[in-house]
Structure formats: C-alpha cells, structure tokens
C-alpha cells in the first residue's frame, strides 16, 4: 500500500500542467522592483500571490507594507508538535533589458525544447510556485505534515533594503526551526547540490563631473578634464597586476582557505577549462593563486558592473562628456562587513581622484553580510538525502558566489539557519535575456518538496539542538 507521502507526491505531479500554467501567468506580470514605471505590476503580483495562497488553504495571508514594496506573509499552523519552517521567496524580477536580445517577449512566457522562457521563471517565480505546488498537494490531502510560515518579499532584486527592518520587528511572528528558501539556484543542472554558504555584498555608484557641460573635443580637448578618462584611470587603480583588490585594508579579517576547504573543492566534479570555454572565456582571470571555485566561493571580489560616459549612440560624436559614472560591487566573505568595505572603497577613490573633477558617491541600499550553515544541520542532511534519492546521484554541499540577503539576516536576527532548496540552476540566464526554467526540474522539484515536507515531520528538532550543543 502506498504511503501518504507517495500518494501526495503522485497528486502533486498530477497537477504539473496546472503548476506550469500558474508559473507562466505569474511570470507574465512584469514585477520589476527597481524601476518605478513597473510599480502597478508589483501590486498585481501581490494580488496574484495572495489570492493563490488563500485559495489553497493558507491563513493569516497579509500584505505587509514597507517603505518600498510589500512583503507577503501567510501561515498554516495545524501540525502541533511538528517542526515549524519559515519558507522564503520573492516575487520581484530583474529588468528585462536589453529587449532586442530576447527571442520571445520577456513577459510573454513561451515553451521551447522543454524549457519555459520568460523573465522571472527561474528567479524566483518558478521555484517559488513549485514549493507552493507541493504544499497545495499536501493541503488537498488533509493538511501539511509540518507547520509552515511564508515570507515572500518584493525587493530581493534591489538588495532587500527594507527586509531586515521587517524581520526584526516581526521576529516572534516569524519564529521557526529554520528557514527553507525557494530562492538560491543550484550550482549545476547535472549535479544535485545544497548550498551551505553565500557571499555578502555591497555596491557603490561613482559619479564624476568635469566641465559644466559637454564640450567639443577639437576646440577644448587637451585643455579641460575628461570625466570618462579620469573614470577609467580610477577603475584601473582598484586591482594590482596579480588580480588582487588594491584597496587598502580590503582583506583585513579575511582568512585564506585552509587545506581542508581547498581539498573539498578539488574533490567536486568540475572541469574548470571546459566550464570557462562554455562561457566563451579564453583564459581564467582574477586573484592569482586560486582556482575558479576558490575565487568564486571563498574569496572576496570587487567588480566594475557598468560604465557610462560621453556619447555611446550610433555613429560618432567628437565630444568630451561632462559627466561619467561607474557602478561597482563587492562580494564579501566572513571577516568583512559591507559598511566597512564601502568606507575603504570611498577612501581609496578619494585618494586617487584628481582635483580636476568633482567626485560623488551613491550607495546601493541593502548591503548584505556573508552567511554559512553547518553541513550537519538536520535540514541540510534531509535535503541531501532527498536530492540523492530523486536524482540517482550523490548530492553535494556547495557554496554560492552570489548573495541572498535573507540567509545572513535569518542567522543574525532570527537565530536560524537557511537551507537553500531551489530547483532552478545557475545556468538558466536569470538576470540576462532569454531566462528559462527547465520543465524537468519543475517536476523534480514537486517531488522533492513534497517528500521533504513529509519526511521533515519525522525530525525532532529539540533533540537535534541538544545534540548540537
């Protein structure tokens, strides 16, 4: 006779066409958080989400206003004595630009070759609705096997600027045994993995102003400051010839990876040369003395994310632009604080900036600290077991070079670890044109989430905490 978990898995998979359609309808809402032009669609996404949560049986569905976009919360607490998890996701998406690079319109989701294409299908609307689809199956079967609280924000793609304030003010309401994230893509599609660490982040816009207006490069060139040229020179001071960040004090507090960490990374099935070739990269770059995974997971970085200056339109214009701008970001590791790194970066730029131009900074809100969870955490162990079962491969613990602010926030403010259980993968072009979500991963996710919730009910977190202590 089939167990309740098995019958619920079958019911979840029987609804996979509905889940796919729901993902497509959700992704058709252009909920771009960073651009005010899209503000009405942010509300539309909230209405879509809250309506669905009420329909499938969640209670206390609440639209929590913030100084930015709303945070949606809900809960189902009908399993007394069972573990309680806080499930996290986000409903906002990245801007779709450049529009001309999309093969089909970004907000008209389309299926091609077993993939659903559209902005937000992988990050994070697809993975979020996969998790909720599994919960829907359990609720239809009579109730969730564990207590579930939901928190879905609308500003993750902007750095989660107001999330910490909300989390701190609602700590009792959000209390749980741990946070289970539907966001945070797996490393690779061909290797089941659980992410146990992510880097922090801080970002800075650098503005330079030379003359009061754009000037003719023939009549004025050579005698007035060129903001674009000064900006390039400034950016060139950020790294030394060995690829190390040249900002004084940047590495203070950073512990180099030890032999065990490097050996663990070396043991992962990873062909660096083939990986880079697949990206169209001719040769590796970055801090000397480290391989790609070490640079990406264990070391801090400083990147130039964008440059704007002068004339960049079609054709040619002989002009000396009055202004120039660079967008910089740092990925941080344990031992670094975003506010301190921003201060060091500003000091560096001030020291190297000539007095021929005016220098101004604009900080990106929502800097994030790095985070880590123990590999023997019961929620991590369960995820590894289930992924190994569903994939037929041994699941691995990996790290993430990217940043998801809730992980460290949950650790520091709520006192709980974060288990990443997302079924998108890092190669699905999120943040880029032609973002996609593999439909096979949707099915795998429905099975895994259903099984995870069922098996989680068997864990005694009180004993697990005692053992850890």
């Amino acid at each position: 006779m089939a167990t309740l978990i098995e019958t619920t898995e079958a019911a979840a998979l029987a609804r996979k066409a509905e889940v796919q359609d729901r993902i497509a309808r959700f992704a058709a809402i252009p909920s771009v958080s960073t651009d005010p032009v899209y503000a009405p669609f942010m509300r539309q996404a909230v209405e879509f989400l809250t309506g669905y949560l009420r329909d499938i049986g969640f209670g206390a569905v609440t639209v929590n206003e913030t100084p930015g976009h709303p945070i949606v919360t809900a809960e189902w607490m009908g399993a007394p004595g069972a573990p309680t998890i806080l499930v996290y996701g986000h409903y906002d998406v990245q801007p779709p630009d450049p529009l001309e690079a999309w093969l089909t319109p970004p907000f008209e989701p389309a299926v091609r070759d077993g993939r659903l294409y559209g902005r937000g299908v992988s990050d994070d609307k697809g993975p979020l609705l996969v998790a909720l689809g599994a919960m829907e199956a359990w609720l239809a079967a009579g109730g969730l096997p564990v207590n579930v609280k939901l928190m879905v924000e609308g500003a993750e793609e902007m750095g989660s600027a107001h999330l910490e304030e909300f989390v701190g003010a609602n700590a009792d309401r959000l209390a749980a045994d741990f946070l289970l994230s539907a966001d945070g893509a797996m490393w690779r599609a061909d290797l089941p993995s659980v992410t146990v660490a992510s880097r922090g982040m801080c970002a800075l816009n650098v503005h330079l102003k030379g003359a009061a207006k754009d000037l003719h490069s023939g009549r004025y060139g050579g005698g007035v400051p060129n903001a674009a040229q000064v900006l390039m020179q400034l950016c060139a001071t950020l790294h030394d010839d060995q690829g190390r960040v040249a900002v004084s004090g940047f590495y203070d507090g950073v512990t180099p990876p030890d032999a065990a960490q490097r050996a663990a990374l070396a043991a992962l099935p990873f062909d660096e040369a083939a990986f880079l070739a697949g990206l169209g990269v001719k040769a590796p770059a970055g801090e000397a003395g480290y391989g790609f995974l070490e640079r990406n997971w264990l070391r801090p970085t400083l990147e130039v994310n964008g440059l704007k200056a002068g004339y960049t339109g079609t054709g040619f214009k002989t002009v000396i632009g009055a202004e120039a701008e660079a967008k910089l970001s740092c990925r941080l590791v344990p031992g670094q604080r975003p506010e301190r790194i921003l201060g060091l970066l500003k000091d560096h730029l001030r020291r190297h900036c000539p007095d021929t131009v005016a220098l101004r900074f604009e900080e990106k809100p929502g800097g994030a600290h790095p985070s880590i969870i123990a590999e023997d955490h019961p929620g991590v162990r369960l995820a590894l077991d289930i992924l190994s079962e569903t994939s037929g491969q041994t699941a691995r613990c990996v790290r993430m070079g990217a940043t998801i602010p809730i992980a460290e926030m949950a650790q520091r403010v709520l006192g709980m670890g974060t288990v990443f259980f997302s079924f998108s993968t890092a190669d699905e072009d999120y943040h880029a044109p032609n973002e996609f979500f593999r439909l096979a991963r949707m099915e795998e996710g429905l099975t895994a989430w259903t099984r995870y919730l069922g098996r989680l009910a068997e864990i005694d977190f009180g004993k697990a905490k005692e053992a850890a202590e």
Side-chain angles (χ1 to χ4, degrees), residues 277-299:
L279 298 175
V281 174
K282 294 181 179 179
E287 189 179 5
Y290 299 94
F292 177 84
L293 292 183
E294 293 169 340
R295 292 169 180 154
N296 192 243
W297 293 354
L298 302 178
R299 300 296 290 167

Side-chain angles (χ1 to χ4, degrees), residues 10 46 48 60 78 113 122 141 143 153 187 287 291 313 334 341 353 451 457 463:
V46 168
F48 181 99
D113 301 321
S122 176
E153 67 159 318
W187 177 35
E287 189 179 5
I341 294 300
C353 186
R451 193 174 299 183
K463 289 185 178 179

Side-chain angles (χ1 to χ4, degrees), residues 343-400:
L344 295 175
L345 181 55
K346 289 178 183 178
D347 288 344
H348 175 95
L349 293 168
R350 289 189 188 102
R351 285 197 304 272
H352 288 82
C353 186
D355 57 12
T356 54
V357 297
L359 175 64
R360 178 173 64 86
F361 301 119
E362 177 188 357
E363 291 184 24
K364 179 181 177 181
H369 297 252
S371 70
I372 190 166
I373 187 172
E375 294 185 15
D376 62 354
H377 184 283
V380 172
R381 292 202 308 268
L382 179 59
L384 290 169
D385 289 345
I386 288 176
L387 290 175
S388 297
E389 293 168 7
T390 56
S391 68
Q393 301 182 64
T394 300
R396 308 294 188 98
C397 286
V398 301
R399 296 182 177 228
M400 182 191 302

Side-chain angles (χ1 to χ4, degrees), residues 53-68:
L53 292 175
R54 292 188 181 101
D55 286 346
I56 64 176
F58 273 92
V61 179
T62 306
V63 178
N64 304 274
E65 301 295 340
T66 76

Side-chain angles (χ1 to χ4, degrees), residues 38 95-107 433-434:
Y38 292 90
D97 308 78
L99 294 175
E100 65 276 9
W102 287 80
L103 297 178
T104 50
F107 297 111
N434 302 305

Side-chain angles (χ1 to χ4, degrees), residues 161-445:
H162 304 291
L163 185 60
E164 182 168 342
E165 180 182 355
F166 175 80
V167 168
N170 293 274
D172 291 340
R173 182 175 152 202
L174 300 173
D177 289 297
F178 66 96
L179 188 145
L180 188 61
S181 177
D183 191 26
M186 285 194 200
W187 177 35
R188 284 163 33 191
D190 63 341
L191 183 71
S193 60
V194 177
T195 299
V196 295
S198 61
R199 292 191 293 185
M201 188 185 77
C202 59
L204 186 70
N205 280 10
V206 182
H207 299 266
L208 298 184
K209 186 172 180 60
K213 58 184 178 181
D214 289 357
L215 298 172
H216 188 290
S217 65
R219 291 184 176 273
Y220 299 97
V224 297
N226 186 315
Q229 185 172 329
V230 174
L231 183 64
M232 289 188 293
Q233 292 168 339
L234 271 181
C235 289
T237 70
L238 296 175
H239 298 84
D240 65 17
D241 293 340
Q242 297 300 307
R244 284 177 58 86
V245 176
V247 174
S248 179
F250 184 83
Y251 292 100
D252 290 354
V254 175
T255 303
D258 58 29
Q261 289 175 316
R262 302 189 86 163
L265 293 193
L268 288 172
F270 177 66
D271 186 333
E272 179 173 328
F275 174 80
L276 294 175
L279 298 175
V281 174
K282 294 181 179 179
E287 189 179 5
Y290 299 94
F292 177 84
L293 292 183
E294 293 169 340
R295 292 169 180 154
N296 192 243
W297 293 354
L298 302 178
R299 300 296 290 167
T301 62
L302 194 168
E303 300 288 347
V304 179
N305 302 128
L307 296 169
K308 183 170 67 175
Y311 177 73
T312 58
T314 303
F316 201 81
K317 183 180 181 183
T318 53
V319 66
I320 299 173
E323 298 184 39
E325 176 185 353
K327 295 181 182 294
L328 310 177
S329 68
C330 300
R331 300 289 176 165
L332 311 177
V333 298
Q336 294 179 304
R337 302 191 314 276
E339 62 276 10
R340 179 176 181 274
I341 294 300
L342 281 177
L344 295 175
L345 181 55
K346 289 178 183 178
D347 288 344
H348 175 95
L349 293 168
R350 289 189 188 102
R351 285 197 304 272
H352 288 82
C353 186
D355 57 12
T356 54
V357 297
L359 175 64
R360 178 173 64 86
F361 301 119
E362 177 188 357
E363 291 184 24
K364 179 181 177 181
H369 297 252
S371 70
I372 190 166
I373 187 172
E375 294 185 15
D376 62 354
H377 184 283
V380 172
R381 292 202 308 268
L382 179 59
L384 290 169
D385 289 345
I386 288 176
L387 290 175
S388 297
E389 293 168 7
T390 56
S391 68
Q393 301 182 64
T394 300
R396 308 294 188 98
C397 286
V398 301
R399 296 182 177 228
M400 182 191 302
T403 305
I404 299 182
I406 186 59
E408 185 277 337
M409 205 178 296
Q411 195 172 47
R412 176 168 45 86
V413 181
L414 297 177
M416 67 176 76
T418 295
V419 178
F420 290 104
F421 206 53
S422 169
F423 285 83
S424 61
T425 51
D427 66 339
E428 289 177 340
D429 290 331
Y430 48 82
H431 293 213
N434 302 305
E435 177 179 351
F436 66 91
F437 186 42
R438 292 179 174 87
L439 298 181
R441 300 284 288 171
M442 180 191 74
E443 295 184 31
E444 183 182 341

Side-chain angles (χ1 to χ4, degrees), residues 5-68:
I5 293 178
E6 290 170 340
T7 57
T8 308
E9 284 180 21
L13 288 174
R15 290 190 173 99
K16 65 183 180 183
E18 296 174 29
V19 175
Q20 180 181 326
D21 176 69
R22 188 174 296 114
I23 294 171
R25 288 188 286 116
F26 197 19
I29 302 171
S31 49
V32 178
S33 54
T34 192
D35 188 341
V37 170
Y38 292 90
F41 300 108
M42 296 296 292
R43 289 288 169 176
Q44 187 178 336
V46 168
E47 291 169 5
F48 181 99
L49 184 60
T50 55
Y52 175 52
L53 292 175
R54 292 188 181 101
D55 286 346
I56 64 176
F58 273 92
V61 179
T62 306
V63 178
N64 304 274
E65 301 295 340
T66 76

